[in-house]
Amino acid sequence: METRGLVADYDPGRGHLTVWGATLVTHYHQRTLARLLDLPLSRLHYRSTDSGGSFGVRGDFFPEDYLVCHVARALGRPVKWIEDRVEHLVATNHAREQTHAIEGAFAADGTLLALRDEAWQDEGAYVRPTGMVVADICLGLLGPPYRVPAFRGVLHDVTTNKTPIGPYRGPGRFQNTFVRERLLDLAAAELGRDRVELRRTNLVAPAEIPYEPGIWMCGESLLLDSGDFPGILDRSVAESGWDGWVAEAAALRAGGRLVGNGVAFWMDKSGLGVYETAGIDVDPSGAIRLLIGGASTGQGIETVMAQIAADALGVEPHAIEVIYGDSDLIPDGVGSWSSRSTVIGGSAVLKAATATADKARRVAAELLEVDADDLELRGGRVVVAGSPDRGLGLGELATACDAVSSLRRGESPGLGAREVYVDEHMNYPYGVNLVQVELDRVTGHVEVRRCFVASEAGRAVNPLLVEGQVAGGVAQGLGGALLERFDYDEHGQPRAATLVDYLLPTALDVPPIEILVCEDAPTPSNPLGAKGMGESGLLGMGAAIAGAVDDALGRPGAITSLPVTPERVLELLAR
């Protein structure tokens, strides 16, 4: 949401470079810069700042990330650079421009027998570091969570004279959800089947979990290790009052209004990146510092990580200072992208906090002359179970972990821990989007009257933040479905170089949103049971709105591209 910027300060005397930048992959940028500048990692201090929003673009390494640092070293003085909005729109990653030719084979009862998809992706003038990830995920998750006995997918990556592409919230999944769900809507119409029932028929059943369809994606075999896909569809229909929506829309259409409903089932992936790091330090005053490899992009990472550590340490979350994105304080990390912060970063925090709590019990057991199993952490103290007056504060225990005493115990000095959590494989959030729209016969405007989103979170560490992610995703999905488009004219010049021309939804465009956060299928792949929620709410909006416009027009399959502009609606009405 904010334009990119960078500050670099080179100290010629020490040969030391300090960089402040809004990135969600601090250590990746540090390592890349060190290689390009031929500097040891120990002489390159990268400090990530709050990115002011990310949505994928903060994860790439751009030319300016090198050039600003190169100039600072050449001049021997600090250099600051920030782009304006025009530069940001024309030079930063673009996304989502794909064309698909998809075919489906169905039995008479609506059972899906096979899928075949051939797609073309506009890669732009050259390949960004993360550009090919979009294509990989798009095909890999085209079928799930549906049962697809036979599947063939080919994606042609085409270079053009446009700005290169990269991840943009829900890369590949916003596109493949639209393509797949459009096919299912058309199939339901041709077969005379209810749209919801056709989906229910083809969803992988709980008895089939774990489900491994034999698809290789993002370096691993796709494995659905948990889920109740028909269950969340049924809950969505019941709790939204979907049958009432259908009856209402039919009645309004009978009165001459253009009202329709749309449904989309989406599948996400989270936890990419294999590992994450975390560290905890307790000082003699009792203050607790939590170091994480993730980054703040407005998603509430500081709150969630403090909650996880606080539960293990028996303190209130506000007692924990959370520090992120500082390569000197925490020398390794993977970052915040791919809805991985809680899933992998939170698991690393849990591991570090548990190790710190275990050490506190061991030290307290020695000092109090009790068994460690009889101790519990509560209110910033380690106390004897059943005798809360007998115990020691975390600060006292940190003091007792001095170098000499720790050496005698055979442990490293200090009260704290540094841990790395390695994820076994990705996990797969999923959910349902239901929308109701009304079309204006005169202007072609698409008004979203109702919106219901159900998301399976596995375990929601902070349900309020999960709802915030869903609501934000809905708003962004509205943009992709109805407004956001980056056009070029016949001479290759961009037509949307300002926010006057590149349209974004405002608060006035976002309808009331009903949100259902489910915790029915925790994943066994991480100790929290959590599934990433960073892209939920967004993924099904394009498909659901397209289906609702079709329904309002009475023309199944009419919408084949996004955004659904007023001009397109008027064109369809004219036909």
Side-chain angles (χ1 to χ4, degrees):
M1 294 175 71
E2 295 176 1
T3 56
R4 293 181 300 121
L6 205 68
V7 174
D9 184 12
Y10 185 69
D11 183 342
R14 296 189 303 135
H16 193 281
L17 178 68
T18 302
V19 184
W20 292 263
T23 176
L24 50 86
V25 283
T26 305
H27 297 90
Y28 165 69
H29 275 223
Q30 182 206 24
R31 290 190 291 268
T32 303
L33 273 173
R35 176 173 55 83
L36 294 174
L37 296 169
D38 195 23
L39 277 175
L41 286 175
S42 59
R43 294 191 180 187
L44 205 165
H45 182 192
Y46 206 104
R47 302 182 67 177
S48 176
T49 61
D50 192 315
S51 68
S54 170
F55 313 119
V57 92
R58 305 286 186 185
D60 249 339
F61 190 90
F62 289 90
E64 297 86 358
D65 294 313
Y66 164 74
L67 291 171
V68 173
C69 299
H70 171 75
V71 172
R73 186 166 68 164
L75 296 177
R77 58 186 298 177
V79 174
K80 181 176 83 170
W81 164 81
I82 188 165
E83 64 185 358
D84 62 23
R85 182 62 66 181
V86 173
E87 185 177 8
H88 185 76
L89 282 169
V90 300
T92 311
N93 288 353
H94 291 184
R96 293 191 177 159
E97 188 168 355
Q98 295 180 352
T99 300
H100 289 252
I102 188 168
E103 299 174 280
F106 294 82
D109 65 355
T111 301
L112 179 60
L113 304 175
L115 275 181
R116 181 164 57 201
D117 182 45
E118 186 171 13
W120 292 262
Q121 175 170 284
D122 190 327
E123 186 67 37
Y126 53 90
V127 180
R128 291 279 197 209
T130 53
M132 296 305 297
V133 174
V134 180
D136 187 14
I137 299 172
C138 184
L139 286 186
L141 283 178
L142 184 66
Y146 298 103
R147 196 183 306 102
V148 184
F151 171 69
R152 180 177 186 268
V154 176
L155 193 145
H156 307 280
D157 209 60
V158 184
T159 53
T160 68
N161 64 342
K162 298 179 182 178
T163 301
I165 73 159
Y168 172 46
R169 198 175 189 181
R173 283 95 79 199
F174 186 83
Q175 297 98 312
N176 66 20
T177 301
F178 176 79
V179 170
R180 180 191 63 237
E181 298 296 297
R182 295 275 62 214
L183 175 72
L184 293 179
D185 279 349
L186 191 57
E190 291 194 9
L191 294 168
R193 304 271 295 181
D194 178 79
R195 290 177 291 171
V196 172
E197 185 56 38
L198 182 79
R199 287 167 169 82
R200 185 184 290 112
T201 296
N202 290 292
L203 288 169
V204 173
E208 298 175 87
I209 303 292
Y211 183 76
E212 194 166 8
I215 294 173
W216 195 261
M217 182 186 71
C218 295
E220 64 180 63
S221 178
L222 192 153
L223 172 65
L224 305 184
D225 61 20
S226 57
D228 183 357
F229 309 126
I232 198 170
L233 181 61
D234 291 341
R235 286 189 65 183
S236 298
V237 168
E239 298 196 25
S240 68
W242 172 258
D243 292 339
W245 291 23
V246 173
E248 179 189 41
L252 291 173
R253 286 197 298 272
R257 293 170 65 178
L258 297 175
V259 178
N261 301 307
V263 56
F265 202 113
W266 51 268
M267 170 69 73
D268 196 7
K269 63 107 195 78
S270 73
L272 189 62
V274 184
Y275 75 95
E276 194 50 88
T277 61
I280 288 180
D281 296 317
V282 182
D283 71 26
S285 72
I288 304 171
R289 183 174 70 168
L290 171 60
L291 307 170
I292 58 175
S296 177
T297 64
Q299 82 278 48
I301 189 172
E302 301 93 331
T303 301
V304 171
M305 298 305 158
Q307 281 183 258
I308 294 170
D311 283 349
L313 295 172
V315 299
E316 292 297 318
H318 62 75
I320 298 176
E321 179 189 15
V322 179
I323 298 175
Y324 60 88
D326 192 312
S327 63
D328 275 10
L329 293 177
I330 187 160
D332 193 14
V334 180
S336 293
W337 46 278
S338 190
S339 299
R340 67 187 304 279
S341 293
T342 300
V343 170
I344 303 186
S347 296
V349 168
L350 178 62
K351 193 174 179 181
T354 301
T356 301
D358 290 344
K359 184 171 185 178
R361 288 191 190 92
R362 290 196 302 271
V363 176
E366 177 188 310
L367 298 177
L368 295 171
E369 297 181 335
V370 297
D371 192 287
D373 292 337
D374 295 329
L375 296 173
E376 57 187 33
L377 283 83
R378 186 192 311 166
R381 291 170 54 81
V382 179
V383 300
V384 178
S387 302
D389 293 337
R390 189 179 176 209
L392 294 166
L394 290 177
E396 294 175 283
L397 294 171
T399 301
C401 291
D402 62 274
V404 175
S405 300
S406 297
L407 181 62
R408 177 177 53 79
R409 294 190 193 100
E411 298 200 71
S412 58
L415 180 57
R418 297 287 185 275
E419 294 289 345
V420 176
Y421 172 75
V422 179
D423 202 39
E424 293 298 323
H425 60 81
M426 290 186 288
N427 63 82
Y428 296 90
Y430 57 88
V432 177
N433 284 48
L434 305 174
V435 299
Q436 184 179 84
V437 305
E438 181 168 7
L439 312 182
D440 189 304
R441 292 181 182 274
V442 177
T443 66
H445 174 67
V446 180
E447 177 192 358
V448 180
R449 291 163 49 90
R450 289 176 170 169
C451 182
F452 179 95
V453 183
S455 299
E456 174 56 56
R459 284 289 179 264
V461 175
N462 188 312
L464 188 61
L465 282 176
V466 171
E467 290 189 15
Q469 291 282 14
V470 174
V474 167
Q476 208 157 4
L478 281 172
L482 299 174
L483 298 169
E484 296 183 46
R485 181 172 59 183
F486 205 98
D487 281 338
Y488 293 79
D489 66 19
E490 64 274 16
H491 303 294
Q493 295 300 309
R495 284 175 166 164
T498 73
L499 293 185
V500 173
D501 303 300
Y502 187 85
L503 303 180
L504 295 171
T506 70
L508 296 176
D509 300 307
V510 180
I513 308 166
E514 293 183 73
I515 297 173
L516 173 64
V517 177
C518 301
E519 298 180 88
D520 299 326
T523 177
S525 69
N526 68 70
L528 297 169
K531 298 183 178 185
M533 288 284 98
E535 284 130 323
S536 60
L538 163 80
L539 301 181
M541 285 302 292
I545 286 176
V549 172
D550 280 3
D551 191 36
L553 294 169
R555 294 187 57 181
I559 300 299
T560 58
S561 64
L562 297 176
V564 184
T565 62
E567 293 87 350
R568 177 60 176 157
V569 172
L570 291 175
E571 178 188 343
L572 290 169
L573 284 170
R575 292 183 185 178

